[in-house]
Amino acid sequence: MASGGFAPPTCGTPKSATTQSRADCGHAAYAITKRIRAFTLDDIPEVVALHKRLFPGNSFSSAELEIHFRQLFFENPWYDEDLPSLVYQEQGEKICGFYGVIPRRMRMKGRPVCVAVSSQFMVDPSARNRLAAIELQNAFFAGPQDLSFTDGANEASRKIWEGLGGVTPFPYSVHWTHPLRPARYFLGRWKERGLSPLVQFALRPVSAVADFLATHKHRSPFHQAEQSPEEDFTWETLLEQLPEFAAKKSLYPEYDEQSLRWLMERASEKKGHGRLRKALVRNECGQIAGWYLYYLNPDGISQVLQLAATKNSFRRVLGQLFFHAWRMGSYAVSGRLDPEFATDFSEQRCLFSFTGPRVLVHSKRADLLEAIHRGDAFLTRLEGEWWMRLQGG
């Protein structure tokens, strides 16, 4: 039996099979208040208007946002009418709350697990019911999924999740950063803290010289040794290789051709963090030792989307990633920690922080929570909502 006493959910059931799926799960879990109902296609314009009111600085047009909400919440390959996104609406009034839900498929020690990833959680502060956000979160937790998960949460979301029984697994909420041009990196940090433009301009030549010396001296901890050329790969190759690497963990994602292709196409369209690059890494014998996917940000911080490696090849993968990001102009690379490789990150002189988007989970299954707490889960940014967030282009 799945959590909450539900029959095993058919997470991501093909649309042709949703009739049986509804018989298995049903919508009873969402009938908590009269103000919460399933998100429909007709609601998209109103939800977009809500987003525009709450995030007026966002650069997306209403038309672009409508495409985004339709693609994510109705055209994703795991779409299931029994695990819908939710809207909050007072009787006769406009929608004042939205809770995006994307079903995902995972496995726990080989057995199927239904996961629900939350995204774009928003409630208008002017809503008459001050508990609207809590009611939406409660409705989501009451769904038929085995595991609720997000990795793009802010502090307000964290408080609601934890107040209703969710947890913040520390191992997956740590972020690492490796400075590639250390002087330029710390200059950028000072800029964020209010360093004047005039001082920044004056320090740029000095930082450039310092970074040249730091990356070219062999004894420097920031030395960049020449690496093999990047070897691009297709989503078909990723589909073939992922089970071998991911299934070493107790909890890991399950993809097929349709879902992985959709995921890679959507992730490639996101430009807020830069252009998506991907590369295989091989060992001395020419065998695949791992790979990395990251958003290249020249003259900025490049963000890692997914990184996989064998235990003995992790530093080789990191070395190739750092070299090519540095060669393309990045002054740092950042990502979310995989607890298995915490020592490797530390010995590669990465900086660690607990700031930024949080990973939050909720489940009534002790085995799932235990696997996540001990770092025995393949949960990269590709498996969550981090890359879906509406920032930039």
Side-chain angles (χ1 to χ4, degrees):
M1 294 291 289
S3 63
F6 290 92
T10 52
C11 186
T13 304
K15 296 178 180 62
S16 60
T18 54
T19 301
Q20 180 61 44
S21 173
R22 283 193 294 272
D24 289 342
C25 296
H27 288 304
Y30 294 107
I32 294 179
T33 74
K34 295 180 180 179
R35 294 177 288 268
I36 295 177
R37 61 174 175 80
F39 179 46
T40 69
L41 283 167
D42 292 337
D43 293 326
I44 291 179
E46 205 168 329
V47 170
V48 166
L50 172 65
H51 189 279
K52 297 288 282 186
R53 289 200 305 274
L54 297 182
F55 305 100
N58 194 285
S59 61
F60 288 93
S61 68
S62 294
E64 289 172 325
L65 287 172
E66 289 190 10
I67 293 173
H68 175 85
F69 278 90
R70 188 181 69 249
Q71 286 182 335
L72 280 187
F73 303 113
F74 293 101
E75 297 178 357
N76 72 75
W78 307 279
Y79 175 71
D80 190 336
E81 293 180 2
D82 296 308
L83 200 51
S85 298
L86 306 170
V87 294
Y88 189 96
Q89 184 176 31
E90 299 283 357
Q91 187 174 9
E93 297 185 5
K94 291 183 178 180
I95 292 172
C96 61
F98 175 76
Y99 202 107
V101 179
I102 300 179
R104 299 290 288 268
R105 292 195 299 267
M106 300 191 77
R107 287 187 175 271
M108 177 65 185
K109 295 183 177 179
R111 296 184 177 183
V113 173
C114 181
V115 179
V117 176
S118 73
S119 179
Q120 317 299 341
F121 182 18
M122 52 186 174
V123 175
D124 195 327
S126 66
R128 287 190 300 171
N129 184 358
R130 298 303 179 187
L131 299 179
I134 294 175
E135 289 187 14
L136 277 168
Q137 188 70 60
N138 252 329
F140 173 59
F141 283 167
Q145 67 271 17
D146 298 300
L147 176 68
S148 303
F149 169 67
T150 185
D151 66 345
N154 57 23
E155 185 64 11
S157 294
R158 183 193 65 80
K159 291 180 179 178
I160 295 174
W161 274 66
E162 293 185 349
L164 296 175
V167 294
T168 303
F170 179 79
Y172 293 97
S173 292
V174 175
H175 295 80
W176 59 266
T177 299
H178 179 76
L180 303 173
R181 292 173 167 83
R184 180 70 183 88
Y185 169 72
F186 287 107
L187 186 60
R189 294 294 301 271
W190 294 335
K191 177 182 178 181
E192 294 172 0
R193 298 180 182 182
L195 187 67
S196 72
L198 182 61
V199 176
Q200 294 174 41
F201 179 79
L203 290 177
R204 285 298 288 264
V206 178
S207 67
V209 173
D211 284 335
F212 179 85
L213 295 175
T215 55
H216 286 79
K217 283 187 173 294
H218 288 278
R219 293 185 179 181
S220 168
F222 302 102
H223 173 65
Q224 293 295 333
E226 186 72 29
Q227 299 284 330
S228 302
E230 284 189 305
E231 179 185 346
D232 196 4
F233 63 95
T234 63
W235 63 265
E236 291 94 341
T237 301
L238 182 59
L239 180 64
E240 177 185 348
Q241 295 294 325
L242 193 58
E244 178 182 348
F245 286 80
K248 295 175 182 178
K249 308 276 192 178
S250 292
L251 180 63
Y252 55 92
E254 180 184 26
Y255 297 114
D256 55 22
E257 292 185 13
Q258 180 188 11
S259 60
L260 190 58
R261 181 172 185 173
W262 180 89
L263 203 58
M264 294 301 297
E265 288 177 349
R266 299 290 81 76
S268 297
E269 291 169 357
K270 298 294 292 183
K271 307 297 183 184
H273 291 291
R275 181 166 59 90
L276 183 64
R277 294 178 67 91
K278 52 192 188 302
L280 290 176
V281 179
R282 298 183 182 274
N283 59 23
E284 297 88 345
C285 301
Q287 300 169 321
I288 295 176
W291 63 84
Y292 53 84
L293 291 79
Y294 74 108
Y295 287 104
L296 174 65
N297 184 7
D299 198 32
I301 301 177
S302 292
Q303 295 287 344
V304 174
L305 184 61
Q306 186 179 80
L307 193 154
T310 61
K311 186 66 176 178
N312 296 329
S313 300
F314 190 76
R315 296 189 188 187
R316 176 188 292 269
V317 175
L318 277 186
Q320 184 163 314
L321 166 65
F322 294 162
F323 173 77
H324 288 288
W326 168 77
R327 191 179 66 175
M328 297 299 292
S330 294
Y331 60 70
V333 178
S334 186
R336 199 173 72 227
L337 182 67
D338 182 337
E340 179 183 359
F341 301 113
T343 301
D344 299 275
F345 280 115
S346 178
E347 292 181 352
Q348 292 301 304
R349 296 174 174 81
C350 294
L351 308 174
F352 298 99
S353 69
F354 197 57
T355 58
R358 299 294 179 87
V359 172
L360 305 173
V361 297
H362 177 277
S363 179
K364 295 180 180 179
R365 286 183 50 174
D367 60 332
L368 299 179
L369 294 177
E370 288 173 3
I372 294 172
H373 279 301
R374 67 173 180 261
D376 191 18
F378 192 88
L379 291 177
T380 72
R381 282 171 163 174
L382 189 63
E383 279 69 59
E385 73 142 337
W386 176 87
W387 63 271
M388 305 178 200
R389 295 179 303 157
L390 291 165
Q391 51 182 292

